[in-house]
Amino acid sequence: MKVKVQTLDATGKGDIELNEAVFGVEPRADILHRVVTWQLEKRRGTARAARERSDVARTGKKFGRQKGGGTARHGDRRAPIFIGGGKAHGPRVRDFNPSLNKKVRALGLKMALSAKARDGQLIVMENLDVTEAKTKALKERLGKLGFGKTALVIDGEALNVGFAQASSNLREINLLPAVGANVYDILRHETLVLTRAAVESLEARFNG
């Protein structure tokens, strides 16, 4: 699969041959759904459990007589209505640490990349070098490249500092290194932008 390589000044840099084993996989909704669900559950924090009535260390002795005291007939200091008593219907510990086979996770990422390539929403850049790290100048250039309403830009092993500074105030642009490429972020952006270094890094990641 050949894709045109562009630069930030809207000039072509020839074509790049994309690996069909990475960018030519037929997407499956069930695989993508499993990977996205796994990602979202994985990032949830575990709730801290509250001590309920059975967890509080207080006496269970009846502390007053049954009649004549002018108060309710309590028999347990661990009741939720007392200070120091157990919490009624408190939060429980829930496990948000699901597991998913590595092969399924890798297949999901390939399918996400392939979906963007198939739908024409993949842009390959030679690099992200900018002459000046100014947001206004960068926004004008990106408008000519057709980045769409939202774009995920994936660079090589290290981020381009100038581009990162210039795009930090652009809400529609998100920047990641190649090692941070993931299914959820790829699918939730309209356009996927890869540098040549990112393409090489992703292909080496699956072939290694």
Side-chain angles (χ1 to χ4, degrees):
M1 178 190 299
K2 286 189 177 181
V3 176
K4 181 181 177 183
V5 180
Q6 303 185 48
T7 60
L8 286 176
D9 56 3
T11 60
K13 280 286 185 177
D15 296 332
I16 185 172
E17 186 71 30
L18 299 180
N19 190 339
E20 289 287 341
V22 179
F23 294 91
V25 181
E26 184 65 27
R28 281 176 48 186
D30 60 324
I31 297 293
L32 294 173
H33 178 266
R34 286 180 64 187
V35 178
V36 170
T37 302
W38 171 80
Q39 272 191 251
L40 296 181
E41 286 187 358
K42 192 75 173 175
R43 72 182 188 180
R44 292 186 67 177
T46 302
R48 181 176 179 272
R51 292 194 304 167
E52 296 193 341
R53 188 168 181 158
S54 61
D55 303 317
V56 176
R58 303 197 75 182
T59 180
K61 180 182 177 182
K62 188 174 177 65
F63 54 87
R65 57 184 180 173
Q66 178 75 2
K67 301 173 72 67
T71 59
R73 300 177 291 275
H74 292 293
D76 194 351
R77 281 290 188 184
R78 291 171 292 194
I81 66 170
F82 292 118
I83 295 175
K87 175 74 173 177
H89 311 297
R92 306 283 182 89
V93 174
R94 297 175 64 190
D95 181 22
F96 297 115
N97 190 25
S99 61
L100 187 64
N101 192 293
K102 286 184 179 180
K103 290 183 179 180
V104 178
R105 281 146 47 184
L107 181 60
L109 183 55
K110 290 179 184 179
M111 288 182 175
L113 295 170
S114 301
K116 291 298 182 183
R118 183 193 64 180
D119 298 339
Q121 297 174 332
L122 173 64
I123 297 176
V124 179
M125 306 289 294
E126 179 66 25
N127 52 56
L128 299 177
D129 294 341
V130 292
T131 55
E132 54 178 353
K134 297 294 184 180
T135 302
K136 183 178 180 180
L138 179 62
K139 190 172 184 178
E140 292 176 356
R141 291 185 177 183
L142 297 184
K144 300 176 182 178
L145 292 172
F147 272 29
K149 293 182 179 179
T150 58
L152 175 65
V153 182
I154 299 180
D155 204 351
E157 297 301 322
L159 298 177
N160 185 294
V161 177
F163 186 91
Q165 291 176 344
S167 63
S168 60
N169 287 330
L170 298 176
R171 295 179 59 186
E172 63 273 17
I173 302 295
N174 282 320
L175 184 61
L176 285 176
V179 70
N182 63 88
V183 176
Y184 176 69
D185 283 327
I186 290 174
L187 294 181
R188 76 187 187 95
H189 289 82
E190 181 180 343
T191 308
L192 174 63
V193 182
L194 302 176
T195 62
R196 186 186 290 272
V199 172
E200 294 172 354
S201 179
L202 288 170
E203 291 181 348
R205 174 174 170 180
F206 292 114
N207 295 329

